[in-house]
Amino acid sequence: IREQVERFRVQWENQQFGVGVSIGLVAISEDTESLSSILRAADGACYMAKKEGRNRIYEYRENKAPVQNMRGATQWGMYIDRAIDEHRFELYYQSIDILNGGMKNGRFFELLLRMKDNEGRLVQPTAFLTAAQRLNRSIRLDRWVISQTLHWLRHHPRQLKGLHLCSINLSSHSIVDNNFQTFVIEQLKNHGIPADKICFEISENAASANLPNAERLITALHDIGCSFALDDFGNCFSSFDFLRNLPI
């Protein structure tokens, strides 16, 4: 099946394109617990096939560490929801400085999201952010980060006054969310934070994959004063023609 798909060619505008398929392979035996366990294992194996380079087959085996971790990924949705409800997320920041003299117009920093487990220990961001993206929790996390950031700036006027730009990462799910633009505008208004103090970062891949939505969101928030930056630039095959038309 994989080889047949790989040999297939898509013809479009006098050009040919190849395609691939990532396959998660799971054996069904007398030890199989249930249909749901098979589907969880297949989903985890398929994800590993994509993660290891795509267009390949990944065979699930019991106690195989990477795919075992992916089986638990579906439970991250509940963990993330509970962590938000129990106030176990925290915001950190890293400064962005100009090496030849520093920021002349104030501080510039990027926000980083961290989560604590039930015992108060920090969880590696890669553990929950990947699951949040896959399990559609990214929008809720993005909104939490924005509301908490603006709330903190509102209650720390000296920090706000000395701020040049605060950079916040956005997920692809927020880019395609029709209500996200309204949410951001309302949050800025309710907290009284100048829009020109906020810069949103979106990945090049997310922008190119959701171009109409990205263009609409970027243009609307740029018009009220927000800045936009392109993250992970050069990691995909997007066209410079459309990238240079975005107000970033």
Side-chain angles (χ1 to χ4, degrees), residues 132-171:
Q133 186 74 14
R134 292 188 67 222
L135 302 172
N136 204 24
R137 297 305 196 278
S138 299
I139 296 177
R140 190 177 182 193
L141 286 179
D142 286 352
R143 293 189 175 212
W144 184 90
V145 170
I146 291 169
S147 62
Q148 291 297 313
T149 300
L150 300 183
H151 175 83
W152 188 88
L153 288 173
R154 177 185 179 182
H155 289 85
H156 294 80
R158 289 183 61 187
Q159 297 288 343
L160 177 62
K161 184 178 180 180
L163 176 65
H164 169 60
L165 211 56
C166 172
S167 183
I168 301 174
N169 289 280
L170 294 184
S171 67

Side-chain angles (χ1 to χ4, degrees), residues 1-7 21 23 55 57:
I1 292 173
R2 192 201 63 78
E3 291 173 351
Q4 288 279 5
V5 172
E6 188 177 38
R7 284 194 289 267
V21 59
I23 298 175
N55 194 32
I57 299 167

Side-chain angles (χ1 to χ4, degrees), residues 11-51:
Q11 190 79 23
W12 184 70
E13 292 189 354
N14 298 320
Q15 297 186 66
Q16 280 195 347
F17 298 89
V19 295
V21 59
S22 300
I23 298 175
L25 189 63
V26 183
I28 302 175
S29 68
E30 60 183 8
D31 297 325
T32 299
E33 298 175 4
S34 62
L35 177 60
S36 61
S37 67
I38 296 171
L39 294 176
R40 283 198 304 271
D43 181 55
C46 185
Y47 181 82
M48 290 305 301
K50 294 178 181 178
K51 187 176 181 181

Side-chain angles (χ1 to χ4, degrees), residues 181-195:
Q181 172 186 323
T182 303
F183 169 80
V184 172
I185 294 173
E186 288 179 349
Q187 288 291 310
L188 288 168
K189 182 179 179 180
N190 292 341
H191 288 93
I193 304 299

Side-chain angles (χ1 to χ4, degrees), residues 164-211:
H164 169 60
L165 211 56
C166 172
S167 183
I168 301 174
N169 289 280
L170 294 184
S171 67
S172 58
H173 289 143
S174 291
I175 294 173
V176 300
D177 180 16
N178 292 328
N179 299 317
F180 185 75
Q181 172 186 323
T182 303
F183 169 80
V184 172
I185 294 173
E186 288 179 349
Q187 288 291 310
L188 288 168
K189 182 179 179 180
N190 292 341
H191 288 93
I193 304 299
D196 60 5
K197 297 282 189 179
I198 304 298
C199 174
F200 291 109
E201 287 192 26
I202 61 175
S203 70
E204 179 191 5
N205 190 48
S208 58
N210 307 284
L211 183 57

